[in-house]
Amino acid sequence: MKLNLRFLYLLPLLAVLFTNPAFNAFFFGKADEAGLGLRYEYALTALSLAAAVRYYGYFQPVVQVWLAVLLVSMAGLALESYALWHSWAKYPHVFSKLTALLPLFGMYAVYRRFPPPSYRQLAGLMLATLLLSLIVVYPEALTLGSFLETERGFSVTSAYLLLPVLLLCLNFYISSNNLVYGLAGLLCLALIVFLQHRTVWVCTALALVLDLGLLALRVPAARAWGTRLAVLGALGVGLGLASGLAVVLDNPDVVQKLAKSISDIQHPTTQGTGTFRMQQYEAYLPLVRERPLAGWRLQGFEVPVQFYSDDSGKQVWPDFTGHHFHSFYLDRLFYFGWLGMLLVLGVPAVQLGRCLLSLAPLQEGPAALLAFVATFPVFGLSYDWPNYAYGFIGLLLAITSRPAPAGAARPAPGRALPTANASAHLEPAVLQSTDLLAAHPPRVGATP
């Protein structure tokens, strides 16, 4: 009897996911989230750097250069801190903008060296944890009163984690016709709508379009995607009617709330929290234009808060507590300018963009994660990226850079298939070589 240890490959990604309140609050409670997060992030950063150093030889050249540039930037920031304040790390908050990238390299290192995790195990574990967190730690987020008063309870970064689970379950259902995955996907979609984070709504719509395109064009196991999607849609409508959804939607307050949320999405700069973000952009863009190339860096932490309340005329936050940007782009442009933006986005945009536009075959798991990561630029318009975003990028960069298995290529039209005897002699050796290469990519510069 052999013991399957495939679940161990999930542990690095779970370590990154544990930075999110939906995962750590279940064990430590909501009151301890902030304290746990800081200590845990330091440990995770150190382990990620150690993994990157240990498996540096497995990095692609472009990722090696990227890591070197990041480390040089961190060293330069430390030298600037010592020159101006006689402290190697005067404002850790600003340094954290760079150290947040290190878990990306840790995930990349691990999954370039070892096989990728089981995507089915990942979806099941994430869904179970998120549901338990909602039921046990954040039960108030599931009430109708919370829905009507927009008292979400469950943070936007936690609700955003329902999206990769939705995409994975949808792809597993379409590729295997297993209704259990389809029902799990419908549950995730219902929770995303109910939790009412409009940014997650927009990201979900975009991700579903991208994912269905990938399924139709690049996932060989999803040939019947249209029929199975229609069946799932009909099942969703039937379950909604049977569960009393029609009665809930008959409530004028619910309809009015949904209509208002949709209107806020359609008018992002003049309604809802979009107005708040637009005002913050207008307040800080003059400072961004003043130092567009490398930003304000450590001195930015000492810049007085530029954002004032319309009602009271007072500063929204106290000085010297950070600027609390509600945008990934404004945050990076203010602190590190366009060079800082390029440091974060340059390599993933080129590498994953190339993968997204390719026509090479994909498995259903990577296709779902690729559609999820493609929504990060949209999410960044409203919020800074959560820590786990870098972990998913590192995982995806690793698995999309692996050599494609020979069996994934479709046979050329008209080519004669090998005989049964020939395949019996040839296939085992080919499959073993391919599996070994996929599990352990060669070191950079090594001869095959």
Side-chain angles (χ1 to χ4, degrees):
M1 178 180 178
K2 293 183 178 180
L3 181 63
N4 188 352
L5 299 178
R6 183 72 185 273
F7 71 91
L8 292 176
Y9 298 129
L10 272 176
L11 296 182
L13 186 58
L14 291 178
V16 176
L17 289 173
F18 199 70
T19 60
N20 186 261
F23 282 72
N24 62 52
F26 178 75
F27 300 97
F28 298 96
K30 290 183 282 187
D32 293 334
E33 288 172 16
L36 168 74
L38 188 59
R39 295 190 298 271
Y40 185 77
E41 286 170 22
Y42 286 154
L44 183 62
T45 299
L47 290 173
S48 298
L49 183 59
V53 172
R54 175 65 180 83
Y55 301 120
Y56 184 77
Y58 293 89
F59 282 30
Q60 294 173 286
V62 65
V63 182
Q64 289 179 337
V65 174
W66 185 20
L67 177 58
V69 171
L70 174 64
L71 295 178
V72 168
S73 300
M74 293 170 60
L77 194 64
L79 290 173
E80 181 183 39
S81 175
Y82 189 80
L84 296 178
W85 292 278
H86 300 286
S87 170
W88 290 108
K90 175 62 176 176
Y91 296 117
H93 175 79
V94 181
F95 278 86
S96 69
K97 309 295 179 182
L98 297 180
T99 57
L101 276 167
L102 288 176
L104 185 157
F105 293 97
M107 293 300 102
Y108 178 84
V110 169
Y111 291 117
R112 279 284 292 181
R113 173 61 181 85
F114 299 103
S118 166
Y119 303 111
R120 283 175 168 79
Q121 290 178 358
L122 175 63
L125 189 57
M126 287 181 65
L127 179 57
T129 304
L130 291 169
L131 289 178
L132 282 172
S133 185
L134 272 169
I135 295 170
V136 176
V137 186
Y138 301 96
E140 67 278 1
L142 298 177
T143 64
L144 183 60
S146 176
F147 176 85
L148 295 176
E149 298 298 328
T150 324
E151 296 292 339
R152 302 179 182 100
F154 213 52
S155 69
V156 64
T157 57
S158 299
Y160 195 34
L161 282 174
L162 288 164
L163 179 53
V165 183
L166 163 62
L167 297 173
L168 287 167
C169 290
L170 176 64
N171 288 11
F172 296 149
Y173 160 70
I174 289 177
S175 61
S176 65
N177 201 25
N178 187 332
L179 269 179
V180 174
Y181 289 116
L183 292 174
L186 290 176
L187 175 61
C188 291
L189 183 59
L191 287 173
I192 287 173
V193 174
F194 186 83
L195 291 172
Q196 243 186 133
H197 291 286
R198 293 182 290 270
T199 299
V200 181
W201 287 7
V202 175
C203 291
T204 300
L206 173 62
L208 287 173
V209 171
L210 292 174
D211 186 54
L212 291 176
L214 292 172
L215 285 172
L217 298 175
R218 298 178 56 186
V219 179
R223 294 186 181 90
W225 67 272
T227 302
R228 292 174 182 174
L229 190 64
V231 171
L232 186 63
L235 179 63
V237 172
L239 288 175
L241 295 175
S243 64
L245 180 61
V247 177
V248 175
L249 291 178
D250 193 47
N251 186 331
D253 293 334
V254 173
V255 175
Q256 184 179 0
K257 187 63 179 177
L258 289 172
K260 184 179 183 304
S261 296
I262 294 173
S263 179
D264 288 345
I265 294 174
Q266 294 173 336
H267 304 88
T269 61
T270 58
Q271 292 182 200
T273 54
T275 304
F276 165 86
R277 293 182 177 89
M278 181 56 63
Q279 291 172 348
Q280 192 175 46
Y281 266 100
E282 293 171 350
Y284 280 93
L285 279 180
L287 291 174
V288 172
R289 295 191 188 101
E290 189 173 337
R291 296 188 180 186
L293 191 61
W296 287 81
R297 301 181 304 284
L298 294 165
Q299 291 175 326
F301 201 82
E302 295 185 345
V303 172
V305 172
Q306 306 292 304
F307 194 36
Y308 295 84
S309 170
D310 289 337
D311 298 330
S312 64
K314 297 180 180 179
Q315 290 176 306
V316 179
W317 299 286
D319 288 334
F320 311 116
T321 62
H323 296 273
H324 306 274
F325 293 117
H326 277 249
S327 166
F328 165 82
Y329 303 103
L330 188 57
D331 185 285
R332 293 308 185 276
L333 287 173
F334 175 78
Y335 283 111
F336 295 104
W338 288 103
L339 290 177
M341 187 77 72
L342 182 63
L343 178 64
V344 179
L345 295 179
V347 173
V350 173
Q351 297 290 94
L352 298 183
R354 188 179 299 167
C355 178
L356 185 65
L357 297 177
S358 169
L359 291 179
L362 270 178
Q363 293 182 338
E364 58 271 23
L369 295 183
L370 185 59
F372 172 56
V373 170
T375 66
F376 288 178
V378 176
F379 187 85
L381 291 171
S382 299
Y383 299 95
D384 193 7
W385 285 359
N387 291 330
Y388 62 73
Y390 300 98
F392 276 109
I393 293 175
L395 167 65
L396 204 55
L397 284 172
I399 62 179
T400 56
S401 65
R402 288 176 174 274
R410 296 176 182 176
R415 179 179 294 180
L417 296 176
T419 62
N421 292 334
S423 62
H425 290 292
L426 295 177
E427 282 183 5
V430 172
L431 289 177
Q432 289 174 6
S433 173
T434 301
D435 291 344
L436 182 62
L437 184 62
H440 303 289
R443 289 177 179 268
V444 175
T447 56

